[in-house]
Amino acid sequence: MRHFSAALAALCLFVLTACGTPENAPASSASAPAPAASSAAVSPAEPDIAVPEKSEADALQSLLDGMTLPEKVGQLFFVRCPAENAVEDVETYHLGGYLLFGRDFKDKTANDVIQTIAAYQDAAAIPLLIGVDEEGGTVVRVSSNPHLRASKFRSPQALFADGGLDAIRRDTGEKDRLLSALGINVNFAPVADVSTSSSDFIHRRAFGQDAAATAEYVRVVVDVMNGDGMGSVLKHFPGYGNNADTHTGIAVDQRPMETFAASDLLPFQLGDSDAGKTAVLVSHNIVECMDPDLPASLSPAVHDLLRELGFDGVAMTDDLAMDAVAAYAADGAVAVMAIQAGNDMVVTTDYRTQIPKVIEAVESGTLDEAVIDTACRRVLAWKQALGLLEGLI
C-alpha cells in the first residue's frame, strides 16, 4: 500500500500531448522558380512508435523477479491474525494475507474493524488478502457481532428452503457488500462438500443436496462473488463426505474413486471464466483411494488430481494447526511438506516458526526455489484478479 500514493502522484503528472501538426507546402507554379535548397530545411516529423504495454503475465513476472526469497515465501502464508504484533508482522514476515476469526470482530464497531484492517494494509508492501469464514449458519465470524449486522447470516440450507437459489444470490450479494465495506476481500466460502445425511459432521455447513444440486449452488455463489469482486474459497477438496472432524484428529476416507468421480469432485470443477477469483482449500482427510499414507493437504497425488480437473488457481491447506497434520513432519516443518505437495498458500497460526523453516529449506536445497516462484506467481495473480495490485504493476 505504501506504493499507492506515489503511483497516484505519477498518474496525475502524466499528460497526453499532440505529436505535432503537418506543415502545408505552398502551391506549385509552372512560372515560379524552384526554391533553392537549404541545409536548414526541417526534416519531416518522425511518427510516434507506440510502445506496447506489458501483458498481465509479464507485469506479474516483473513484480515476482524483483522480490527477495523471504518476500516470496511470506506471500505463501495466509495466516490467522495474531492477537499481538499484527501490524509489525505484516512487514517482518511479508505476509500474503490475514485470516480473521471471531475474536477479531468481538464487540467492535464497523469503524473499529475498518481502521484495524487499514493499518494492516498500510504496513504491507504488497496488499494483503484479508479473509474470513462467513459461511452463514454455524460459521459466522462477522455477523455474530450485532454491531456489524443485526442478525447472523442464515445457513445455505435454510435460505434455499425459503427462497431457492434466488435467496442464495441475494444473501451472497449482501455478504459481499458487508465484507467489502469492512475491508475484507476474501470469504472462505462456499462449502462445496456434498452431504445429504444430517449425521455427517459437515452437513450443517454444506448445501445438503446431491452432487448436481451442490455444483449448481457453488456456481451461483461463485458467480455472484466474482461479479462483486470478492474472492471465494471452495472447500474442502476433494470432498468431506461423512468423515469425522479433523480439528481434533485424523479422518480416514475409505470410499472408492468412483464415488468421488460421480459425486464429490463435481462441485469443484469450475469453468475457466469462474476460476480467476477463486481458490480451493484442501482438507486434512486421508483419502485412501488417492493416497493411503498422507492427509490430502500434504499429498502430491491429491494436488495432482486437482490440477488434472483443470484448476490452475491458488490451492491452499486447511489450517495446519489442526491435530490431523501435527504428526507428519518430524522436524516440525509441516509448511515445507505442504508446499512440496503442491499448495500455493499455507493457512496456519504458527507462521513465525514455519516461514523461517521454508526459507531454510530453499537455502539448503531441500525445496526448489522454482516451486516457491510458481506458488507466489499464483498468489500474485489471485491478488491481481481481485484488484489488489493496481499501482504496483
Side-chain angles (χ1 to χ4, degrees), residues 296-321:
S297 56
L298 303 180
S299 168
V302 171
H303 289 80
D304 288 346
L305 174 61
L306 177 61
R307 300 306 181 192
E308 288 167 7
L309 293 175
F311 181 72
D312 194 40
V314 168
M316 67 175 71
T317 68
D318 207 339
D319 189 350
L320 291 184

Side-chain angles (χ1 to χ4, degrees), residues 346-365:
V346 171
V347 178
T348 186
T349 304
D350 189 26
Y351 61 91
R352 293 170 181 144
T353 299
Q354 294 300 321
I355 288 176
K357 287 184 179 294
V358 174
I359 294 171
E360 180 183 346
V362 175
E363 292 176 339
S364 69

Side-chain angles (χ1 to χ4, degrees), residues 117-173:
I117 291 175
Y120 301 156
Q121 293 288 22
D122 286 343
I126 295 176
L128 293 160
L129 298 164
I130 302 291
V132 70
D133 293 285
E134 192 69 19
E135 300 170 5
T138 61
V139 181
V140 281
R141 314 299 191 197
V142 175
S143 61
S144 59
N145 178 352
H147 297 301
L148 303 178
R149 192 173 189 268
S151 60
K152 297 177 182 179
F153 283 107
R154 301 172 68 198
S155 72
Q157 291 183 36
L159 288 166
F160 185 73
D162 283 354
L165 289 175
D166 284 341
I168 297 288
R169 289 187 183 92
R170 290 191 297 270
D171 178 80
T172 302

Side-chain angles (χ1 to χ4, degrees), residues 100 113-114 117-118 121 128-131 177-186 230 388:
L100 307 181
V113 176
I114 291 168
I117 291 175
Q121 293 288 22
L128 293 160
L129 298 164
I130 302 291
R177 289 188 292 275
L178 174 59
L179 300 185
S180 294
L182 295 173
I184 296 163
N185 47 48
V186 176
M230 178 63 60
L388 300 180

Side-chain angles (χ1 to χ4, degrees), residues 262-313:
S263 179
D264 295 73
L265 298 179
L266 299 183
F268 292 95
Q269 298 181 52
L270 295 175
D272 290 342
S273 62
D274 297 324
K277 297 173 184 174
T278 301
V280 170
L281 182 146
V282 183
S283 79
H284 295 321
N285 295 347
I286 293 178
V287 184
E288 288 192 336
C289 66
M290 301 175 192
D291 187 333
D293 300 317
L294 292 171
S297 56
L298 303 180
S299 168
V302 171
H303 289 80
D304 288 346
L305 174 61
L306 177 61
R307 300 306 181 192
E308 288 167 7
L309 293 175
F311 181 72
D312 194 40

Side-chain angles (χ1 to χ4, degrees), residues 35-291:
S38 169
S39 60
V42 178
S43 299
E46 291 290 335
D48 279 353
I49 299 175
V51 178
E53 294 184 1
K54 284 185 177 181
S55 69
E56 290 186 358
D58 288 341
L60 279 178
Q61 187 62 47
S62 294
L63 178 59
L64 180 66
D65 290 343
M67 296 170 67
T68 65
L69 176 61
E71 288 171 341
K72 291 186 289 188
V73 170
Q75 286 298 301
L76 311 189
F77 281 76
F78 204 147
V79 306
R80 180 167 183 169
C81 188
E84 297 179 352
N85 300 317
V87 172
E88 294 83 354
D89 280 4
V90 170
E91 186 171 8
T92 300
Y93 294 98
H94 314 288
L95 297 172
Y98 268 149
L99 179 57
L100 307 181
F101 283 75
R103 73 179 185 197
D104 299 298
F105 302 100
K106 185 175 176 59
D107 299 328
K108 291 186 177 180
T109 66
N111 188 60
D112 292 336
V113 176
I114 291 168
Q115 295 304 318
T116 299
I117 291 175
Y120 301 156
Q121 293 288 22
D122 286 343
I126 295 176
L128 293 160
L129 298 164
I130 302 291
V132 70
D133 293 285
E134 192 69 19
E135 300 170 5
T138 61
V139 181
V140 281
R141 314 299 191 197
V142 175
S143 61
S144 59
N145 178 352
H147 297 301
L148 303 178
R149 192 173 189 268
S151 60
K152 297 177 182 179
F153 283 107
R154 301 172 68 198
S155 72
Q157 291 183 36
L159 288 166
F160 185 73
D162 283 354
L165 289 175
D166 284 341
I168 297 288
R169 289 187 183 92
R170 290 191 297 270
D171 178 80
T172 302
E174 185 181 349
K175 283 195 188 89
D176 292 345
R177 289 188 292 275
L178 174 59
L179 300 185
S180 294
L182 295 173
I184 296 163
N185 47 48
V186 176
N187 188 5
F188 276 55
V191 173
D193 301 300
V194 178
S195 172
T196 57
S197 172
S198 60
S199 64
D200 295 344
F201 162 73
I202 203 67
H203 183 75
R204 289 189 299 167
R205 297 169 58 189
F207 187 53
Q209 305 288 324
D210 64 17
T214 300
E216 178 64 10
Y217 157 72
V218 168
R219 186 194 64 78
V220 165
V221 172
V222 169
D223 280 351
V224 173
M225 295 178 75
N226 279 351
D228 292 339
M230 178 63 60
S232 54
V233 179
L234 308 189
K235 54 189 186 183
H236 307 78
F237 187 83
Y240 214 95
N242 59 356
N243 291 284
D245 182 4
T246 51
H247 290 78
T248 57
I250 296 172
V252 178
D253 193 327
Q254 297 178 320
R255 294 176 297 160
M257 180 61 82
E258 290 77 11
T259 298
F260 284 92
S263 179
D264 295 73
L265 298 179
L266 299 183
F268 292 95
Q269 298 181 52
L270 295 175
D272 290 342
S273 62
D274 297 324
K277 297 173 184 174
T278 301
V280 170
L281 182 146
V282 183
S283 79
H284 295 321
N285 295 347
I286 293 178
V287 184
E288 288 192 336
C289 66
M290 301 175 192
D291 187 333

